[in-house]
């Protein structure tokens, strides 16, 4: 344990009602000690339930733990206690951006800019959100840990993951449950690499899909398919800790995609087994 963490912990032990828990919790969060940060924040909120900064800290920790639903509730509570709280506005902007609601993300960031015109992070995040850069936006908002930094996109190595699979050279993305890219790459219709923002967006999707399937009484989910104006997508779960996204343009019918996707999942399963 570092000296600064020890010193803050000692201060808090001497005075459990001290607001030093805010500094300690944030320091632990920044160092990736999320369970310890979680305990500190909860203990602090038990003693200071109406402290806006306490709810903001707890929300940031929840976001880092990928518990976005509860993080949203905590940031919402922060704004109820302290309307105009910049941390909560930035946090909600991050969550809205993550689910693709750019209008709400920009609106919250613009409000944050009015509240804190000298906050360079807000300006950076606003530019990154408008440019679709998930990692850059998270960095500007101080939420780097909440968006896994995916490996730099590179041409797909078929021999490494999808060896011998039809169409393996494009439209396949394998990632772990936290959004870290394991193989593949994606480009949009304008040939722009979108591997990183797509991976960040899909972080935690498997948990949400499992929760939804359970609530609807559908049993264990095995795949999701969607038809778009320009193409189709299929999301599968090759293992309990991985996701596979298959993307094809409209020239590939959904029926064909339903054949390609399971084959890709099998290839991913074989590759994952070799890595274990």
């Amino acid at each position: 344990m570092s000296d600064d963490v020890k010193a803050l912990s000692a201060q808090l032990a001497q005075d459990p009602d001290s607001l030093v828990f805010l500094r300690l919790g944030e320091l632990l969060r920044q160092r990736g000690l999320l369970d310890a940060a979680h305990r500190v924040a909860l203990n602090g909120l038990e003693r200071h339930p109406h402290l806006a900064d306490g709810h903001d800290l707890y929300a940031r920790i929840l976001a880092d733990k990928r518990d976005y639903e509860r993080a949203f509730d905590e940031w919402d509570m922060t704004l109820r206690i302290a309307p105009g709280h910049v941390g909560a506005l930035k946090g909600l902007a991050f969550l809205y951006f993550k689910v693709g609601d750019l209008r709400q993300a920009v609106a919250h960031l613009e409000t944050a800019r009015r509240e804190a015109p000298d906050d360079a992070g807000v300006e950076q995040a606003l530019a990154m959100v408008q440019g679709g850069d998930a990692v850059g936006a998270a960095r500007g908002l101080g939420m780097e840990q909440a968006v896994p930094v995916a490996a730099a996109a590179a041409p797909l190595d078929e021999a490494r993951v999808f060896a011998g699979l039809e169409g393996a050279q494009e439209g396949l993305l394998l990632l772990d449950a936290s959004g870290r890219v394991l193989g593949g790459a994606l480009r949009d219709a304008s040939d722009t690499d979108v591997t990183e923002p797509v991976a960040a967006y899909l972080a935690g999707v498997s948990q949400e899909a499992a929760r939804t399937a359970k609530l609807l009484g559908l049993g264990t989910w095995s795949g999701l398919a969607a038809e778009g104006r320009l193409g189709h997508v299929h999301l599968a779960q090759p293992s309990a800790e991985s996701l596979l996204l298959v993307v094809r343009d409209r020239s590939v019918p959904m029926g064909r995609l339903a054949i390609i996707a399971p084959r890709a999942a099998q290839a991913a399963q074989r590759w994952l087994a070799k890595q274990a």
Side-chain angles (χ1 to χ4, degrees):
M1 185 182 296
S2 63
D3 291 342
D4 44 3
V5 171
K6 288 181 180 178
L8 292 172
S9 298
Q11 291 181 45
L12 190 59
Q14 292 175 357
D15 181 8
D17 289 326
S18 172
L19 295 184
V20 75
F21 85 89
L22 295 171
R23 292 164 54 200
L24 176 59
E26 178 61 15
L27 184 59
L28 291 168
R29 184 190 78 85
Q30 291 177 357
R31 297 187 178 183
L33 302 173
L34 299 182
D35 289 339
H38 189 273
R39 289 193 295 271
V40 168
L42 273 184
N43 289 336
L45 282 173
E46 286 180 1
R47 295 176 179 275
H48 306 280
H50 303 297
L51 182 65
D53 286 344
H55 288 279
D56 176 45
L57 168 65
Y58 188 37
R60 278 180 276 129
I61 295 166
L62 290 170
D64 286 352
K65 291 168 74 73
R66 316 286 194 264
D67 192 344
Y68 301 119
E69 184 175 348
R70 291 172 64 197
F72 185 97
D73 290 341
E74 287 298 317
W75 273 317
D76 182 66
M77 176 64 72
T78 303
L79 289 180
R80 290 175 185 271
I81 296 170
H85 191 286
V86 174
L89 289 167
K90 291 162 68 174
L92 288 173
F94 165 75
L95 293 182
Y96 278 120
F97 175 63
K98 185 168 174 50
V99 300
D101 192 337
L102 297 186
R103 185 180 64 82
Q104 283 286 355
V106 169
H108 279 72
L109 286 173
E110 288 178 341
T111 301
R113 181 168 59 181
R114 289 194 295 271
E115 295 289 335
D118 296 327
D119 189 328
V122 172
E123 291 293 341
Q124 176 187 347
L126 192 54
M128 295 302 101
V129 163
Q130 292 171 330
D133 183 346
V135 174
R139 187 174 297 115
L141 296 171
M143 298 298 301
E144 294 94 329
Q145 293 188 55
V147 175
V149 179
L156 182 64
D157 181 357
E158 296 184 36
R160 196 166 71 89
V161 182
F162 303 111
L165 184 68
E166 174 190 352
Q169 72 277 9
E170 61 180 9
L172 293 167
L173 182 62
L174 179 66
L175 58 151
D176 66 16
S178 66
R180 182 171 64 92
V181 175
L182 302 176
L186 293 178
R187 292 185 175 276
D188 65 13
S190 63
D191 202 36
T192 300
D193 192 309
V194 293
T195 303
E196 199 168 284
V198 169
Y201 181 80
L202 289 176
V205 163
S206 58
Q207 293 92 333
E208 291 303 315
R211 183 185 306 175
T212 300
K214 182 177 180 180
L215 288 173
L216 294 174
L218 300 177
T220 302
W221 80 282
S222 59
L224 299 171
E227 184 174 358
R229 185 172 60 85
L230 299 178
H232 312 303
V233 298
H234 191 286
L235 187 67
Q237 194 174 27
S239 71
E241 297 299 326
S242 66
L243 287 172
L244 173 69
L245 182 67
V246 183
V247 182
R248 291 292 184 268
D249 62 34
R250 289 189 65 88
S251 66
V252 179
M254 287 295 290
R256 183 63 181 164
L257 186 59
I259 296 173
I260 295 172
R263 290 178 179 173
Q266 290 173 3
Q269 286 173 344
R270 291 192 294 268
W271 183 82
L272 289 167
K274 292 179 181 178
Q275 310 308 306

